[in-house]
Amino acid sequence: MSLFPTYNRFPLTIVSGSGTTVTDDEGNDYLDFVSGIAVCNLGHRPPEVQAAIQEQLDQVWHVSNLYQIPLQEEAANKLIEGNDLDHVFFCNSGAEANEAAIKLARKHTGKEKIITFKQSFHGRTFATMSATGQEKIQQGFGTLLPTFEYLPYNDVEAVEQIDDDEVAAIMVEVIQGEGGVVPGTAAFLNAIQKKCKETGILMVIDEVQTGMGRTGTAFAYEHYSLDPDIVTSAKGLGSGFPVGAMIGKAKLKEAFSAGAHGSTFGGNPLASAAVNATVETIFAPAFLEEVQRKGELFKEKLQESLGQLNIVKEVRGQGLMLGIQLEVEAIQVIHTLREKGLLAVLAGPKVVRLLPPLNVSEEELDKAVQIISTVLQQQDHLQSV
């Protein structure tokens, strides 16, 4: 093997995909409820995005940010339309978007400390690993950046007790994805906003997994009428084309003047074409309403079919980002689901995470519920004997 062994890969080689279905190298089809880990929000090879990328492939692929890129400006305008954000910096991933947010917060405020939360996940660069509130992500890399403090998630009192003049920003996920699909409460998220407004601390919302329609709104913070200073996006932003974005308020503009930050590939013509086509589809109000409706339906059906099982503790989440909290390790369930034709992913050791494409059909959701119910009923029986 010529690759570093950084991934525990499943014994599966996907060779083609269309919509919600992928096919392996042995001809087996699967319902894909991983979506590249919330990346293929429009399914595999969505025609509108594929056409936009193909059109750009026939023109120019890359020019660098030394030159004007009209498609990039168009993509930025789409991302800030209808919200109170003003400027966009394009990069290549969620980690890079969060890295940019950390740099911008520190440069704008002149302060170094950033508060994040236990069980959070913000990336694997050195700064974003330091921002992540999970020891397993940080082990073995020596001294982390010393400017991060981790508070308990959903702890209103801990937020209210913040009293530190050196805090530049509070960085939070509306739903902790890698931390177990744990939604933030309205009281908790509003306590963060109140603290930020009162003290001048910047509110940074990591929407890398929850954004791009995943929860039924363009960004998940909209469910709570929050007013963040910075929002980060990636994953579903380009329908599988690598791209990330940091979006911020106008007051932050001068801190990111020419030369303050940069990216060779960020927002290049191919990436911008993918973003434009993706955002145009996902941000349509009727599309988002359908995501909310299907998400509620999916959650209700899962709760109904799994509610009597001893090994199922909870079904939680929002929109089409759901987690099934088990009383047992979930990895064998993931393997068995795959054997039955459904791809799912872990979110911590005991949580089955479900991230279907946002344009999944009701019939496909019903099929997934049936497979999940069958597998967990069998697992429940094995635990009880």
Side-chain angles (χ1 to χ4, degrees):
M1 291 289 290
S2 301
L3 297 170
F4 276 106
T6 48
Y7 306 105
N8 285 320
R9 299 180 193 267
F10 293 115
L12 174 65
T13 301
I14 295 170
V15 296
S16 65
S18 179
T20 314
T21 302
V22 293
T23 304
D24 69 14
D25 55 354
E26 296 180 352
N28 300 306
D29 290 336
Y30 304 85
L31 264 182
D32 185 4
F33 276 39
V34 178
S35 301
I37 315 180
V39 167
C40 303
N41 283 6
L42 293 174
H44 293 274
R45 296 188 297 111
E48 59 271 44
V49 181
Q50 185 169 339
I53 294 173
Q54 184 61 58
E55 181 180 351
Q56 192 58 48
L57 278 169
D58 292 336
Q59 298 178 44
V60 64
W61 297 9
H62 179 80
V63 296
S64 92
N65 284 297
L66 292 173
Y67 307 106
Q68 303 295 324
I69 305 176
L71 274 178
Q72 189 182 103
E73 187 69 35
E74 183 181 337
N77 286 333
K78 284 184 169 70
L79 284 173
I80 63 175
E81 186 177 352
N83 57 46
D84 292 325
L85 300 165
D86 302 286
H87 301 290
V88 181
F89 171 81
F90 283 108
C91 50
N92 307 291
S93 69
E96 287 186 31
N98 285 335
E99 186 92 16
I102 291 165
K103 288 180 68 173
L104 179 57
R106 289 177 57 150
K107 194 166 191 291
H108 173 77
T109 63
K111 301 175 182 180
E112 295 188 1
K113 191 170 184 179
I114 294 177
I115 292 173
T116 62
F117 296 90
K118 295 177 181 178
Q119 294 304 116
S120 61
F121 182 83
H122 298 293
R124 294 180 183 271
T125 66
F126 217 86
T128 58
M129 175 180 66
S130 298
T132 293
Q134 298 189 50
E135 288 186 9
K136 68 178 183 180
I137 303 297
Q138 303 166 341
Q139 288 174 351
F141 296 103
T143 304
L144 303 173
L145 293 183
T147 54
F148 292 92
E149 178 182 348
Y150 318 111
L151 297 182
Y153 192 71
N154 274 336
D155 190 328
V156 173
E157 185 177 352
V159 172
E160 292 175 343
Q161 290 178 353
I162 295 171
D163 184 16
D164 189 335
D165 292 337
E166 294 305 310
V167 177
I170 299 175
M171 190 173 191
V172 66
E173 299 161 277
V174 175
I175 301 174
Q176 288 191 329
E178 304 301 318
V181 192
V182 181
T185 66
F188 170 66
L189 295 167
N190 280 287
I192 294 173
Q193 177 161 278
K194 182 180 179 184
K195 177 61 67 172
C196 289
K197 297 292 185 185
E198 289 174 350
T199 60
I201 295 171
L202 296 180
M203 185 178 189
V204 181
I205 298 185
D206 179 343
E207 292 265 11
V208 170
Q209 188 165 160
T210 54
M212 298 310 300
R214 177 54 56 184
T215 68
T217 51
F219 297 104
Y221 77 81
E222 296 172 26
H223 291 290
Y224 303 91
S225 300
L226 300 174
D227 183 30
D229 298 291
I230 299 173
V231 173
T232 57
S233 178
K235 286 190 180 289
L237 182 59
S239 293
F241 197 96
V243 61
M246 182 203 64
I247 315 164
K249 287 187 175 293
K251 65 183 180 182
L252 307 172
K253 181 180 179 181
E254 295 308 313
F256 258 22
S257 56
H261 195 45
S263 170
T264 297
F265 295 104
N268 75 10
L270 287 175
S272 295
V275 171
N276 273 309
T278 301
V279 174
E280 191 170 308
T281 301
I282 290 178
F283 282 14
F287 184 90
L288 292 171
E289 288 171 9
E290 269 293 282
V291 174
Q292 289 195 41
R293 186 186 66 80
K294 287 185 290 191
E296 291 169 2
L297 182 68
F298 190 31
K299 188 176 181 181
E300 289 171 2
K301 289 186 175 183
L302 285 171
Q303 289 172 330
E304 181 180 346
S305 66
L306 306 178
Q308 303 304 314
L309 301 182
N310 294 322
I311 64 165
V312 176
K313 185 175 181 180
E314 183 183 14
V315 178
R316 60 177 178 248
Q318 194 159 13
L320 289 171
M321 180 180 179
L322 300 181
I324 304 171
Q325 174 77 56
L326 302 179
E327 299 284 4
V328 297
E329 298 288 314
I331 186 60
Q332 186 54 52
V333 172
I334 297 293
H335 287 309
T336 307
L337 289 173
R338 185 184 70 251
E339 292 166 3
K340 300 292 185 182
L342 177 68
L343 302 184
V345 64
L346 293 173
K350 294 185 178 182
V351 178
V352 175
R353 184 172 19 160
L354 301 167
L355 300 162
L358 305 183
N359 48 5
V360 63
S361 70
E362 287 188 33
E363 291 74 20
E364 289 167 331
L365 291 174
D366 287 340
K367 183 178 179 181
V369 171
Q370 189 272 324
I371 294 172
I372 293 165
S373 179
T374 299
V375 168
L376 288 179
Q377 284 174 14
Q378 293 171 347
Q379 190 72 25
D380 191 69
H381 176 71
L382 290 173
Q383 292 294 318
S384 63
V385 295

